[in-house]
Amino acid sequence: MKVGIVGAGMVGSAAGYALALRGGASEVVLVDRNAALAVAQAEDIAHAVPFAHPCRIGAGDYAALEGADLVILAAGVAQKPGESRLSLLARNAEVFAQVIEGVQRAAPEAMLLVASNPVDVMTDVALRASGLPPSRVIGSGTILDTARFRSLLGGHLGVAPQSVHAYVLGEHGDSEVLAWASARAGSEPVARFAVQVGAAITQSVRERIDAGVRRAAYRIIEGKGATWYGIGAGLARIVQAVRDDQRAVLSVSTVTPEVEGVRDVALSLPRVVGRAGVLATLTPELAGDEAAALRQSAEMLKQTAEALG
């Protein structure tokens, strides 16, 4: 599968590198308004290919995206220390119209995978700008937040994150919702599992894990300016689910007909992802406060998208 990446900065290049290491694509093409940067990133990634899986890595302008099955949109301005994702909206929305126009001239049928922040609103923007079906315009959403949740929960329980089945819902940002009510470790609800292994989940444990998930990006940005490795791996994971028609359940963002009474809003829920994009959306079990928080997140995202016009 040929994958294009528009935006050869840290997120775009990390996604390309992860794809090369995972063997997630047969060809990757990087495009950036700074052509020298795209060429340099492509050459650097290409030098890692002999240690990984066969993959052609190149760079070019939008025309080089011809024949791409999927295009990752990682263009935009970076998040500043202390800046919320939603405050990026006005600066990044301007970039997207031009980017999507260029992509669709070369690859009008390509699936779009949105990585630019604020990712939920930018997914809504990409859907409207592209005219593609909602199932083929996917935001990376809370796939990284979900990974952080599983990692911290697995660490507390003393098990591998891969044995934890828990999701972060709603916005990829401050209003996100950790779905504790539906969280499982192996086949057991996490609270029951925790008791059996002597690692009870107290209120203080929940608060620590919640803060660890919710504030992770801010801590990383404060320390090194931006996040890129985690989301790069998450994007590669989504691409592989599409390429192999895995029908994997991933917490990604798409425009959804109705969520907790809010209509036509882009946010993250567990979705079945395969070759055709999002094949189904799941509604996890939620406690009353979690359902209320998800509705609040959906309302905020809907209002922000509508304000954009």
Side-chain angles (χ1 to χ4, degrees):
M1 183 169 82
K2 179 176 179 177
V3 175
I5 301 175
V6 180
M10 297 310 301
V11 170
S13 61
Y17 182 57
L19 281 168
L21 292 187
R22 289 179 65 101
S26 58
E27 181 178 2
V28 175
V29 176
L30 286 86
V31 175
D32 197 280
R33 64 180 180 178
N34 181 346
L37 174 64
V39 169
Q41 297 281 36
E43 185 173 1
D44 197 10
I45 295 169
H47 295 162
V49 168
F51 305 112
H53 299 270
C55 181
R56 296 188 302 278
I57 310 290
D61 56 16
Y62 285 113
L65 298 175
E66 183 178 1
D69 302 285
L70 183 149
V71 176
I72 296 172
L73 303 178
V77 291
Q79 189 175 8
K80 299 177 181 178
E83 181 183 31
S84 73
R85 291 181 178 89
L86 290 176
S87 69
L88 289 173
L89 176 59
R91 295 194 292 148
N92 270 334
E94 293 182 8
V95 175
F96 253 50
Q98 297 176 4
V99 168
I100 292 172
E101 181 182 357
V103 168
Q104 292 201 299
R105 279 199 305 269
E109 301 302 320
M111 188 181 301
L112 301 181
L113 177 52
V114 181
S116 302
N117 277 320
V119 68
D120 302 292
V121 178
M122 300 314 293
T123 299
D124 184 275
V125 170
L127 177 68
R128 286 190 267 172
S130 68
L132 292 170
S135 61
R136 295 183 61 78
V137 180
I138 304 174
S140 57
T142 60
I143 193 166
L144 179 54
D145 310 272
T146 290
R148 291 166 175 160
F149 187 17
R150 293 178 179 183
S151 177
L152 291 172
L153 193 49
H156 174 73
L157 297 173
V159 299
Q162 291 85 349
S163 295
V164 177
H165 309 286
Y167 294 91
V168 177
L169 314 176
E171 179 203 4
H172 171 54
D174 297 337
S175 72
E176 64 190 20
V177 180
L178 278 64
W180 286 94
S182 60
R184 298 286 187 274
S187 62
E188 294 291 296
V190 290
R192 186 185 303 165
F193 186 99
V195 170
Q196 295 182 56
V197 298
I201 298 177
T202 63
Q203 184 60 31
S204 64
V205 169
R206 286 181 57 143
E207 290 172 356
R208 174 177 58 81
I209 291 176
D210 184 282
V213 173
R214 199 177 301 275
R215 302 299 300 174
Y218 293 109
R219 291 194 303 275
I220 294 169
I221 290 168
E222 184 177 358
K224 68 173 193 175
T227 66
W228 55 81
Y229 293 127
I231 189 56
L235 291 165
R237 176 69 186 92
I238 297 168
V239 171
Q240 205 154 16
V242 173
R243 187 198 69 174
D244 297 337
D245 196 23
Q246 291 179 349
R247 300 175 182 246
V249 178
L250 305 172
S251 57
V252 295
S253 182
T254 63
V255 174
T256 309
E258 188 273 332
V259 179
E260 295 295 328
V262 181
R263 301 191 61 82
D264 300 321
V265 59
L267 50 62
S268 286
L269 289 170
R271 322 267 186 183
V272 180
V273 179
R275 183 69 181 180
V278 171
L279 306 174
T281 295
L282 308 177
T283 304
E285 176 187 354
L286 297 174
D289 59 337
E290 293 169 352
L294 182 57
R295 178 181 176 85
Q296 185 177 26
S297 184
E299 287 175 341
M300 181 274 297
L301 288 167
K302 178 69 172 179
Q303 291 167 6
T304 303
E306 287 180 340
L308 183 62

